[in-house]
Amino acid sequence: MLNFNCELKGGVYKIKKYVLFCVIVILILLLGACSFEKGLGVEDTNKLTVLTVEYSSGAPLSELYVVLLNDDERIIDETMSDTDGKATFYNLQVNKTYKVQVGKYENFQTKSFITEKEFNFKPSNPNLLVQTYAADHNQGLAIPVHLQEPELPNGCEITALTAVLNYYGAKTDKLEMTQKYLPKKPFEYRGNQNYGPDPNIEYGGNPTELTGTYVFAEPIVKAANSFISEEKLDIQAKNISGSTIEEITEYVRQGIPVITWVTLDLSKPRIKGGWRITGSGEYHQMFQNLHTMVLVAVRNDTVEVMDPLKGIKNLDKSTFFKSYKESGEQAVIVY
């Protein structure tokens, strides 16, 4: 009887010990799960996803270098955008101001063509959209198609500029750019001589009229920067006339459309007639077939352009650049 009681007591003790062990294990698992869930909650709450997309089209851009900086310009973290154009950062502080910079890795060495965006982090808004340069993009840059006619029968230059400004998200149209920002001056007749402006300074006549002429790169830059300054946009226009084929190709590779002066059919420039430049009296020989297009892709044998007369076109590369050279190597970028 004594042995039985002892065995019974020993069995009860073992059962209690086993139950206690199970309870402890369950508590540990529960506490671990709570900690894990809490950790996930903190990570999710303080996670930022940067979406890198092309200007205008919103197409995702992969393999771009994305840097997260503190408000004192100190680098916190850095990564590359994935195939969906996403770059993810963790452990951001709520209501703190940060800055992201996006671009090709090598551009951070030269500090060129980098897109920067400042933001205040809030868990309720964990995604940050950054429109940037479509560098090394397989497709041609998504320049919106703007046709100059019928409103601007002689306004290819300002139409091309408007398309580029719209590509970067600017809110304007070809008529506003013509009427408000394009430098222009009417012709006048004096003593059987026709006097007009220097195309390097002003447009001769008016693009809305059949008697309108043309303008070169510098007045287009002036029109662009006047608009950009007034609208307080974070872009700028630059006259890159005289650039080599290789330099222009590199701009496009970096995701920057190039406004380029060529001829209507890429044939040899036809020069006939002209006018005397007001002030200097110098005679300007007039191009009869000058035209402006936006270069959006350069491939092995062809280029892709937005032609203000015909829309998106693919042209022979060597013929296009030959026309560019023969037309005076005029070119403009906005970036």
Side-chain angles (χ1 to χ4, degrees):
M1 188 70 175
L2 180 61
N3 289 337
F4 176 77
N5 287 336
C6 288
E7 288 176 3
L8 182 61
K9 288 180 180 179
V12 171
Y13 175 75
K14 288 180 180 179
I15 291 172
K16 287 182 177 179
K17 188 175 180 181
Y18 177 76
V19 170
L20 180 61
F21 173 78
C22 290
V23 170
I24 291 171
V25 169
I26 291 170
L27 286 172
I28 290 172
L29 290 173
L30 287 173
L31 288 171
C34 289
S35 298
F36 179 71
E37 289 175 0
K38 185 178 180 181
L40 280 180
V42 170
E43 186 176 272
D44 286 346
T45 301
N46 297 311
K47 181 175 75 172
L48 172 73
T49 300
V50 178
L51 307 172
T52 60
V53 301
E54 180 189 8
Y55 290 111
S56 184
S57 73
L61 300 173
S62 62
E63 298 182 9
L64 289 180
Y65 191 53
V66 185
V67 179
L68 177 68
L69 301 100
N70 215 328
D71 53 5
D72 60 0
E73 300 292 325
R74 179 174 54 86
I75 295 178
I76 299 172
D77 201 359
E78 51 201 332
T79 187
M80 301 292 289
S81 60
D82 63 18
T83 54
D84 295 321
K86 295 180 180 180
T88 305
F89 299 99
Y90 298 94
N91 301 319
L92 278 75
Q93 296 180 37
V94 178
N95 293 325
K96 183 175 176 61
T97 299
Y98 294 93
K99 186 182 292 182
V100 291
Q101 294 178 338
V102 179
K104 288 176 63 65
Y105 180 79
E106 58 264 32
N107 289 348
F108 279 81
Q109 316 306 314
T110 59
K111 300 186 184 303
S112 59
F113 310 131
I114 296 171
T115 304
E116 189 172 272
K117 192 167 187 177
E118 189 174 273
F119 66 99
N120 187 270
F121 179 72
K122 296 183 184 300
S124 59
N125 188 21
N127 297 319
L128 182 69
L129 182 70
V130 179
Q131 296 184 83
T132 189
Y133 305 105
D136 293 328
H137 202 33
N138 293 328
Q139 306 297 321
L141 302 177
I143 291 289
V145 173
H146 287 340
L147 301 180
Q148 64 189 82
E149 295 179 330
E151 297 89 350
L152 303 177
N154 286 296
C156 57
E157 306 95 339
I158 201 68
T159 302
L161 172 61
T162 303
V164 171
L165 290 172
N166 289 166
Y167 175 71
Y168 288 112
K171 306 299 182 185
T172 188
D173 58 54
K174 61 187 179 184
L175 291 179
E176 180 187 40
M177 292 302 300
T178 297
Q179 295 161 1
K180 190 174 179 181
Y181 299 101
L182 178 66
K184 49 191 179 295
K185 189 173 185 178
F187 288 95
E188 58 178 336
Y189 287 91
R190 284 183 279 147
N192 295 324
Q193 291 285 341
N194 191 15
Y195 284 83
D198 183 343
N200 289 294
I201 300 174
E202 295 165 306
Y203 184 99
N206 196 308
T208 62
E209 300 172 358
L210 292 174
T211 55
T213 55
Y214 50 79
V215 74
F216 293 142
E218 193 57 36
I220 290 299
V221 170
K222 184 176 181 180
N225 284 332
S226 294
F227 170 78
I228 289 167
S229 175
E230 190 170 300
E231 295 296 316
K232 297 180 172 57
L233 302 177
D234 192 24
I235 51 177
Q236 62 179 311
K238 181 180 179 181
N239 187 346
I240 60 164
S241 296
S243 294
T244 64
I245 295 173
E246 292 74 21
E247 288 169 336
I248 288 178
T249 299
E250 179 61 17
Y251 282 123
V252 177
R253 189 183 76 83
Q254 291 284 358
I256 299 169
V258 181
I259 302 171
T260 315
W261 276 249
V262 288
T263 58
L264 282 168
D265 53 1
L266 303 186
S267 61
K268 197 169 184 64
R270 296 194 304 273
I271 297 175
K272 181 180 179 181
W275 64 87
R276 294 201 176 276
I277 295 175
T278 303
S280 70
E282 181 183 350
Y283 190 75
H284 173 75
Q285 292 184 305
M286 183 177 178
F287 286 93
Q288 296 293 321
N289 59 341
L290 194 63
H291 193 42
T292 304
M293 304 179 188
V294 183
L295 183 62
V296 299
V298 180
R299 303 188 175 96
N300 290 336
D301 301 313
T302 62
V303 297
E304 185 176 323
V305 299
M306 196 292 288
D307 182 343
L309 282 173
K310 299 179 180 179
I312 300 297
K313 293 176 60 180
N314 285 285
L315 304 170
D316 180 76
K317 178 180 174 180
S318 61
T319 306
F320 177 85
F321 281 113
K322 181 182 179 184
S323 182
Y324 159 72
K325 284 182 169 293
E326 291 177 342
S327 301
E329 298 184 331
Q330 298 280 319
V332 168
I333 59 172
V334 179
Y335 63 101

